[in-house]
Amino acid sequence: MEILELSRGLLVRTSSWVGRLELDDLIITVEPKLQRAPLATLLQYAYGLRDLQLHEKTTHAAVLGGIRELLISQLVNEAEELFARGLYRDYIRSPENLASPKGRLDFAALANVIGRAHAVLPCVHHPRSEANPINVILLGAIDLGRKLSIDPTLRHRAGRLARSLEVVTPRIALTLSALDATEAIMDRRHRAYHPCLRIARLLLEGAGTSLETGDALVPLPGFLFDMNRFFQTLLSRFLSENLPALHIENERVLKGMFAWETNMNPLRRRAPAPRPDFLIKDGNTVVAVLDAKYRDLWETRLPREMLYQLALYALSCKGVSREAVILYPALDTLAREQAVALLDPHGDSKLARIILRPVNLNLLANLVGTKPNSANLQHREDLAKKLALGTPGVAI
């Protein structure tokens, strides 16, 4: 976001980020360009969240804070579901002097009590406890949601959960490194906790920015969410799940396209490496190069920087068909594929072409929001093939 103070007022420019910033008395709210899109359903699918009737519980919250409140509502709903099912309990090593021995005797400590008039024995036992690292992180996530929410109902629900959990676990300030360490030790026993941790990461990243690589985040006076990254995550999951015969590679570097000349690189810099969002491969053969852009290119013009980027991707393709595809979100049912030809300015030959392919978000939400059956799965596969490979037999 760029904010410029001009003689006639403020000029605010935004890109793919949405959210809310509070700069003293100035409050800036950036709403998604596609406001009628079914974001709740698409968010749940993109990040592997459960459908916990989010739409009914977040009507007021969504009006107040947009996508941030949707995420916090989902976090609170997920946490309430965990509490209802029972929190994960782990075996905790507990050395104690007990009058009624249990577990096993601690022979190393037994020598210290022999000869003393104590009717106890040193034991080591392992009671199951909710005071474990997973629940510590859960408490941090709930507390983060409570602090970020501007909806009184959500804050009350999150505060009630936090007070119940802090009876058995210590309260910590959630950090990215703590999330990474916890996710590294999680296994199938903690599957129900994955949605809460995914949302916690999104909230943590949206509430702060990193000036350098590392864990330290500079707090933002608000919350920002990258819709471009969300759209890419959504398409990555949909294509990966519904193209069983093909392989999807995410952000694969196109090596060998640029190279510094040996005697003309005094600073010894690395050669630029283009990185399209998706490579669709049939075995070892690349059959499609795709890039996801959260910009409705049916309603707005194609920016030249996107055109130049996709032109490079198209030229990198081997063989006769040199194509690169922009997948963009659309709600208009009339949206169709468009194509731009890259021509040789000194001849009549066509070097490559760039295809603009719409993704109907209402159709996609209807497919992923419906319980899978044979017909639904076939419709999903048909849509995935159309997005990745286009419609067979249609000349653009």
Side-chain angles (χ1 to χ4, degrees):
M1 179 180 297
E2 182 181 5
I3 303 175
L4 299 176
E5 186 174 3
L6 306 177
S7 58
R8 63 182 183 276
L10 292 177
L11 173 65
V12 180
R13 295 195 186 104
T14 64
S15 54
S16 63
W17 297 81
V18 300
R20 177 186 176 99
L21 283 180
E22 301 173 4
L23 307 174
D24 293 331
D25 295 332
L26 175 65
I27 299 177
I28 301 175
T29 301
V30 185
E31 298 179 347
K33 297 182 180 70
L34 302 174
Q35 296 182 23
R36 294 179 289 115
L39 288 179
T41 300
L42 297 176
L43 275 170
Q44 289 171 342
Y45 177 77
Y47 296 106
L49 310 178
R50 291 174 291 183
D51 186 3
L52 300 176
Q53 303 302 318
L54 185 67
H55 308 277
E56 298 178 3
K57 294 185 178 182
T58 61
T59 303
H60 182 53
V63 172
L64 287 175
I67 204 164
R68 175 183 61 182
E69 301 303 317
L70 285 175
L71 291 172
I72 297 173
S73 298
Q74 182 75 37
L75 172 64
V76 173
N77 293 342
E78 293 278 357
E80 289 176 343
E81 183 79 2
L82 288 175
F83 273 78
R85 293 185 176 190
L87 294 174
Y88 171 73
R89 294 187 297 167
D90 202 359
Y91 292 99
I92 307 297
R93 186 180 186 276
S94 300
E96 289 185 276
N97 293 326
L98 302 174
S100 299
K102 56 183 176 180
R104 64 177 180 81
L105 293 178
D106 186 351
F107 289 100
L110 184 60
N112 296 327
V113 300
I114 292 178
R116 299 181 183 179
H118 297 299
V120 295
L121 288 173
C123 302
V124 176
H125 61 110
H126 297 77
R128 294 186 67 192
S129 172
E130 295 172 347
N132 54 70
I134 303 296
N135 287 326
V136 171
I137 290 296
L138 176 63
L139 175 58
I142 295 172
D143 201 43
L144 175 65
R146 181 187 62 81
K147 293 176 180 177
L148 291 178
S149 178
I150 59 175
D151 182 75
T153 303
L154 275 180
R155 292 175 65 89
H156 172 73
R157 291 168 60 195
R160 178 169 50 82
L161 292 173
R163 288 190 296 272
S164 299
L165 193 53
E166 67 182 356
V167 174
V168 293
T169 61
R171 187 186 292 268
I172 66 165
L174 194 64
T175 63
L176 291 177
S177 59
L179 273 175
D180 293 337
T182 303
E183 290 175 347
I185 64 173
M186 294 176 70
D187 54 35
R188 59 180 179 82
R189 298 172 298 172
H190 316 112
R191 185 176 302 168
Y193 281 74
H194 281 291
C196 286
L197 269 62
R198 290 192 190 101
I199 299 173
R201 183 177 293 276
L202 292 173
L203 291 175
L204 196 60
E205 292 174 345
T209 183
S210 178
L211 299 181
E212 298 178 357
T213 56
D215 184 66
L217 291 176
V218 179
L220 289 174
F223 178 84
L224 292 176
F225 184 79
D226 190 355
M227 294 297 292
N228 213 40
R229 175 60 66 177
F230 154 67
F231 186 56
Q232 181 180 340
T233 302
L234 172 67
L235 292 180
S236 176
R237 181 179 179 187
F238 184 75
L239 294 176
S240 299
E241 289 183 349
N242 298 289
L243 292 175
L246 301 174
H247 176 62
I248 315 298
E249 292 191 0
N250 294 281
E251 297 187 343
R252 171 71 179 273
V253 174
L254 300 178
K255 297 181 180 179
M257 191 168 184
F258 295 99
W260 286 97
E261 294 186 6
T262 306
N263 60 341
M264 298 293 289
N265 185 18
L267 298 179
R268 300 183 180 276
R269 289 174 173 164
R270 291 185 178 182
R275 191 195 304 265
D277 291 335
F278 312 113
L279 289 183
I280 311 296
K281 301 182 70 175
D282 185 0
N284 293 325
T285 304
V286 176
V287 295
V289 180
L290 312 176
D291 217 49
K293 301 295 184 185
Y294 190 79
R295 184 186 181 97
D296 190 344
L297 298 177
W298 184 256
E299 300 289 344
T300 61
R301 300 180 62 180
L302 174 66
R304 60 183 178 184
E305 58 270 17
M306 291 186 186
L307 176 64
Y308 298 161
Q309 180 184 16
L310 269 291
L312 286 176
Y313 294 162
L315 290 173
S316 71
C317 298
K318 298 179 180 179
V320 178
S321 177
R322 289 191 165 186
E323 296 180 348
V325 179
I326 299 180
L327 297 176
Y328 67 89
L331 295 177
D332 191 339
T333 56
L334 298 177
R336 297 292 184 270
E337 286 191 2
Q338 307 164 75
V340 178
L342 179 59
L343 305 176
D344 181 358
H346 303 292
D348 297 329
S349 61
K350 182 169 66 175
L351 302 178
R353 68 174 183 167
I354 296 91
I355 299 174
L356 286 63
R357 187 169 294 154
V359 181
N360 189 302
L361 294 186
N362 286 322
L363 173 61
L364 183 59
N366 183 54
L367 289 177
V368 301
T370 304
K371 184 174 295 186
N373 53 44
S374 57
N376 176 268
L377 292 175
Q378 184 60 52
H379 289 323
R380 290 189 187 190
E381 186 173 332
D382 292 342
L383 179 58
K385 288 180 179 178
K386 181 180 179 180
L387 295 179
L389 306 176
T391 304
V394 175
I396 300 179

